[in-house]
Amino acid sequence: MLYGFIGTGIGGGLILDGKIYRGSKFVAGEIGHVLVDKNGPVCGCGNRGCFEAIASRTAIVNKIIDDIKSGKKSELIDMVKAGERIKSKSLANAVANDDKIVIKRISDGCEVIGGVLASLANLMNFDMIVLGGGLVEALDSFMLPKIEIAFYDHVLNASAEGLKIVSSKLGDDAAIWGGIALAEEFLGLKV
Ligand SMILES: [Zn+2]
């Protein structure tokens, strides 16, 4: 399975045959830096057009800020004017209030997320993709169906067979559970 974190950035983890797969230098699962658009915005890693630079919450918020600055209407205008940080909860409220700009930008993000996940599913033939991170947690019922549409549009039929895409049940606690599992594995403890 693949775990994908969609929030401030985009990260991921691979569990293959029941075990975390780390790769030869512990980098495996770094899905955030898959190239999506070589002419896209600059990523935190220094390259252009990485998945994270296009579909993370930060990337989506940057697009919304540009829209608002170019005169488009959104309920987030006061936050943008005040230079406040726009978090996932504010985006979820805007979606609930039918804010067209926010809906458009998050929908565009879902299209990219679905497409990238389809490429990864073709590579790895997963049983399951679990999505978490602040943006997905705040907006899973809005985002998941949109991600699935783009996913099934791109994926090969054989790669999609029996595959489930679900949102994380552990939420923010996933990291601490992961830390416990790591300690158990490396130190031979049973917590
Ligand atoms: Zn990058």
Side-chain angles (χ1 to χ4, degrees):
M1 62 157 270
L2 169 76
Y3 174 76
F5 173 99
I6 319 268
T8 313
I10 294 183
L14 294 164
I15 299 176
L16 306 182
D17 299 327
K19 281 189 180 160
I20 290 186
Y21 180 76
R22 298 187 169 92
S24 73
K25 296 286 181 286
F26 289 75
V27 187
E30 258 297 10
I31 62 172
H33 305 279
V34 166
L35 177 64
V36 173
D37 175 5
K38 69 181 174 61
N39 299 315
V42 176
C43 180
C45 75
N47 291 328
R48 246 179 212 287
C50 294
F51 184 25
E52 172 175 299
I54 292 175
S56 63
R57 189 203 70 218
T58 313
I60 290 170
V61 164
N62 285 341
K63 292 260 191 194
I64 293 168
I65 291 171
D66 287 348
D67 286 340
I68 290 172
K69 285 186 174 162
S70 73
K72 292 187 175 137
K73 289 201 168 50
S74 164
E75 69 173 47
L76 300 177
I77 189 163
D78 291 339
M79 289 182 80
V80 171
K81 273 189 186 158
E84 280 175 48
R85 222 169 130 228
I86 298 170
K87 295 197 167 180
S88 299
K89 201 168 182 299
S90 305
L91 295 175
N93 288 338
V95 167
N97 293 333
D98 202 25
D99 189 305
K100 298 280 185 289
I101 295 301
V102 175
I103 287 174
K104 162 91 173 77
R105 291 305 184 182
I106 295 176
S107 302
D108 288 352
C110 291
E111 221 177 293
V112 172
I113 294 165
V116 170
L117 294 179
S119 303
L120 299 172
N122 288 340
L123 178 71
M124 298 302 299
N125 194 194
F126 299 115
D127 294 317
M128 187 181 273
I129 296 174
V130 181
L131 296 176
L135 191 63
V136 172
E137 262 178 60
L139 281 153
D140 63 341
S141 59
F142 177 77
M143 289 179 72
L144 248 61
K146 290 185 162 46
I147 290 171
E148 281 179 337
I149 289 170
F151 178 85
Y152 288 109
D153 214 30
H154 286 266
V155 77
L156 294 173
N157 287 341
S159 315
E161 212 181 303
L163 184 147
K164 289 192 201 76
I165 302 177
V166 297
S167 57
S168 161
K169 288 204 175 78
L170 293 174
D172 271 350
D173 292 345
I176 195 74
W177 281 107
I180 292 169
L182 205 62
E184 285 185 341
E185 184 185 337
F186 278 84
L187 303 175
L189 303 168
K190 187 78 203 134
V191 178

